[in-house]
Amino acid sequence: MDSATAPQSLSDWLSHLERIHPSVIDMGLDRVALVRDRLGLTPAFPIVAVAGTNGKGSVCAMLESILSGAGYKVGVYTSPHLLRYNERVRVQGQEAADETLAHAFARIEQARSEVSLTYFEFGTLAAMEIFTREHVDIAVLEVGLGGRLDAVNAFDSNCAVVTSIDFDHMEFLGNSRDSIGAEKAGIFRAGRPAICGEGDAPAGLLRRVEEIGARLQLIGRDFGFNADPNQWQFWSALGKRSALPYPALRGDYQLGNAATALAALEQLRERLPVDMGAIRRGLLDVQLPGRFQVLPGRPMVILDVGHNPHAARALASSLRRLPGGGRTIAGSRCSRTRISKAWRQQCGMTSTSGWWPVFPARAVPTPNESGRRWQRYGSACR
């Protein structure tokens, strides 16, 4: 592609990315590794890779908040985005500018030549290109789907995290927790720390850990937490961290995510030490839209991006802890049939009081289109 025909704006580039590969998901590392090598992307900074059925975004956000509070220049790559693609790539807490992303996309387009890349593969390489040019102190990378064959796994992590393991994307990862756990454990590396925030770790994950030779740290066995009404304590083989504030992220599952993030930080302590002040500030300041996010005003409006049975159960548990009563109106991008099944069976609802079709059930929008639609609905809700 020459300069005359190359996309110019970020919007043009995102539209281009949606067209250049025959399928949205195409698992495998060969293509992305080939373009990685052509670009010479061999990061000198440490990498934390975070996989899991749910909790990935929360753990990434806590790591970012704590490490930034400790004075480190942190690069974070997450997906999907809610309103703008720029949300996916952050450096020092700031979203990448349109021009920065467009420049990175142009570099990858030039390097890939005949190699076809998916939307996510292109974005992963762009994030790493930006982090390398920005000379970050550490990169936190959220796995898109699974682990072993995800584009993020083309980069060796210094510490790998699996937050939780449950049923989702079974057409790619298998129909059992064993197979799903084994796929997610594919991000672990020999001799390097492997943090697992799933208390009921399936045998498939444990077998993969042994095969790889990773140093497993398992919640409830090697690290964990004790909760009091107004504070909590993290414990591990290295000792205890007491009088910790509850994370600013709401939801009764967030202490497990916080403990998992702290366990990862402990494994990085020799290269990136973090003091108690940074941990406390990071937990208090962490932000992540769409994770049991309560909007100001009345009636209470809660935004949550949960999209699988595990997330539905967690959402239901958090909803039951809220004070007060009255009707609950559920809005979803799912079809009415699917929302009935997911919410009535997993959330324990006997009926659906209300339903709001954010997206038509007949089609799943492209990533770029999703952002545009959420922008409209988000503006209407503010």
Side-chain angles (χ1 to χ4, degrees), residues 11-176:
S11 179
D12 290 342
W13 271 110
L14 295 177
S15 296
H16 174 65
L17 267 53
E18 290 165 2
R19 296 191 302 264
I20 60 175
H21 197 75
S23 59
V24 175
I25 299 174
D26 189 0
M27 307 296 285
L29 299 179
D30 292 343
R31 295 182 312 278
V32 69
L34 179 59
V35 181
R36 174 204 64 197
D37 292 344
R38 289 179 181 178
L39 288 162
L41 289 178
T42 54
F45 47 82
I47 294 172
V48 178
V50 183
T53 304
N54 294 298
K56 301 187 298 292
S58 296
V59 169
C60 288
M62 292 184 199
L63 288 171
E64 177 186 20
S65 185
I66 294 170
L67 287 164
S68 296
Y72 297 112
K73 187 175 186 179
V74 186
V76 183
Y77 174 58
T78 60
S79 64
H81 58 277
L82 290 178
L83 301 178
R84 300 170 303 281
Y85 185 92
N86 313 63
E87 298 167 22
R88 296 186 180 217
V89 183
R90 298 189 299 278
V91 177
Q92 285 190 308
Q94 300 298 312
E95 297 175 4
D98 287 8
E99 297 78 10
T100 301
L101 288 164
H103 179 75
F105 288 150
R107 284 260 301 157
I108 293 154
E109 181 73 9
Q110 182 180 28
R112 77 176 182 89
S113 184
E114 79 292 351
V115 180
S116 182
L117 296 172
T118 67
Y119 186 99
F120 185 78
E121 290 168 345
F122 218 108
T124 302
L125 289 167
M128 291 302 289
E129 163 77 10
I130 291 169
F131 297 156
T132 300
R133 288 181 175 270
E134 288 285 340
H135 301 289
V136 299
D137 294 318
I138 183 172
V140 179
L141 309 180
E142 179 183 353
V143 169
L145 192 159
R148 181 175 64 92
L149 297 176
D150 187 86
V152 163
N153 205 33
F155 297 92
D156 290 331
S157 60
N158 299 77
C159 178
V161 178
V162 172
T163 57
S164 63
I165 300 162
D166 212 279
F167 296 102
D168 201 7
H169 302 298
M170 290 178 285
E171 65 273 30
F172 299 104
L173 306 179
N175 294 316
S176 69

Side-chain angles (χ1 to χ4, degrees), residues 227-240:
D228 291 323
N230 298 311
Q231 60 186 22
W232 65 286
Q233 178 190 73
F234 171 80
W235 59 265
S236 73
L238 296 177
K240 297 177 180 179

Side-chain angles (χ1 to χ4, degrees), residues 152-322:
V152 163
N153 205 33
F155 297 92
D156 290 331
S157 60
N158 299 77
C159 178
V161 178
V162 172
T163 57
S164 63
I165 300 162
D166 212 279
F167 296 102
D168 201 7
H169 302 298
M170 290 178 285
E171 65 273 30
F172 299 104
L173 306 179
N175 294 316
S176 69
R177 290 183 76 247
D178 271 1
S179 63
I180 294 170
E183 286 296 314
K184 294 185 184 302
I187 67 171
F188 297 154
R189 293 295 189 268
R192 295 186 178 183
I195 313 299
C196 182
E198 172 60 68
D200 183 22
L205 179 139
L206 300 177
R207 284 195 302 270
R208 184 59 60 88
V209 168
E210 289 188 9
E211 292 167 3
I212 293 172
R215 297 190 285 111
L216 180 64
Q217 296 286 304
L218 186 63
I219 195 168
R221 186 191 74 180
D222 304 299
F223 70 93
F225 63 91
N226 300 311
D228 291 323
N230 298 311
Q231 60 186 22
W232 65 286
Q233 178 190 73
F234 171 80
W235 59 265
S236 73
L238 296 177
K240 297 177 180 179
R241 295 179 183 267
S242 301
L244 294 171
Y246 273 71
L249 303 182
R250 299 178 64 154
D252 53 10
Y253 46 85
Q254 290 294 0
L255 278 189
N257 290 331
T260 300
L262 293 188
L265 290 172
E266 278 196 339
Q267 298 302 315
L268 298 168
R269 65 190 182 280
E270 292 185 3
R271 192 162 181 180
L272 298 170
V274 174
D275 61 26
M276 283 292 288
I279 292 173
R280 291 193 174 99
R281 289 192 302 272
L283 292 172
L284 290 170
D285 294 342
V286 62
Q287 298 181 31
L288 188 62
R291 274 65 168 189
F292 206 76
Q293 179 185 359
V294 180
L295 301 183
R298 307 295 297 177
M300 179 182 288
V301 176
I302 298 171
L303 304 180
D304 193 274
V305 298
H307 59 278
N308 52 48
H310 183 263
R313 291 193 297 271
L315 175 61
S317 176
S318 295
L319 287 172
R320 293 189 191 102
R321 292 176 181 271
L322 292 175

